[in-house]
Amino acid sequence: MVRKKVEGNEEQRRAAARSAREAGESPSARNVTTGGSKQRTHVPDRNSWSHEERTEPLERGKQRVEAAEEEARRAEPPPAPPPGRDFTGRAHPGYDQEHQAVFQAVATAERRHGGNAVHAHEVARTAGLPHDRTKVLLHDLVTDQRLVTKLENTDTPDMGPRYETR
């Protein structure tokens, strides 16, 4: 006797049935068995059904359930960024003395390296500012004032971004 084709392999069906039993439900209630509940024509008079009732069993397939779960996961808000590294919601800062000091430090460190781009820790050391504060100021110089260019993936292995004057 040949049975109907169902989605998923035997291990997946067995695991789904096992998890249903552990949750106190019957596997057929969750539609994870290959029995009569999976068959679309188990009700004798389908002609009296509405369109939604006819197409409802088609949406029970594994791919559609997984797609719905993935869609629900995407609808969740993203996790909060780590503290101290978030630039969203900040007003556009003006160009102040700290920005000037960091810009001059980038130019000085760049000259020291023969015109090559430099890492943020060297800019912080040259400017005499803490590394975290220097990274924020460099971000402002790159995105708002556009006086500095940030170069990504320039080293092998990658040692972080490098910065150069425009």
Side-chain angles (χ1 to χ4, degrees):
M1 176 176 217
V2 178
R3 66 179 176 168
K4 278 193 164 186
K5 295 266 187 186
V6 293
E7 295 183 51
N9 62 22
E10 291 178 15
E11 290 85 21
Q12 288 174 328
R13 288 194 301 273
R14 285 186 192 129
R18 196 175 313 113
S19 67
R21 276 190 233 93
E22 289 171 358
E25 298 178 6
S26 67
S28 60
R30 284 195 181 177
N31 293 328
V32 295
T33 62
T34 59
S37 63
K38 296 285 272 191
Q39 296 177 7
R40 295 183 186 159
T41 59
H42 68 279
V43 176
D45 188 19
R46 281 177 57 122
N47 294 334
S48 63
W49 286 5
S50 68
H51 176 72
E52 289 80 20
E53 292 171 329
R54 286 186 189 138
T55 58
E56 186 267 331
L58 298 175
E59 296 183 8
R60 290 185 189 164
K62 182 175 73 172
Q63 283 83 12
R64 295 196 186 193
V65 170
E66 290 174 354
E69 290 171 355
E70 181 65 28
E71 187 64 32
R73 233 180 281 124
R74 284 189 197 132
E76 294 175 2
R85 301 298 294 253
D86 186 20
F87 296 109
T88 58
R90 273 181 63 213
H92 293 287
Y95 189 80
D96 60 5
Q97 297 292 4
E98 284 185 319
H99 288 95
Q100 178 66 29
V102 170
F103 179 70
Q104 287 177 345
V106 170
T108 302
E110 201 175 5
R111 270 193 305 271
R112 206 176 319 139
H113 286 274
N116 293 327
V118 293
H119 292 287
H121 62 83
E122 186 165 349
V123 174
R125 191 172 44 242
T126 305
L129 293 170
H131 185 264
D132 290 339
R133 181 68 184 147
T134 304
K135 297 261 309 182
V136 171
L137 294 169
L138 281 169
H139 175 78
D140 294 342
L141 290 172
V142 169
T143 58
D144 293 330
Q145 281 84 28
R146 298 176 194 243
L147 298 172
V148 175
T149 303
K150 180 179 180 179
L151 305 174
E152 299 276 349
N153 302 322
T154 57
D155 303 321
T156 304
D158 189 22
M159 303 297 288
R162 290 178 179 250
Y163 298 91
E164 66 181 5
T165 57
R166 286 195 173 196

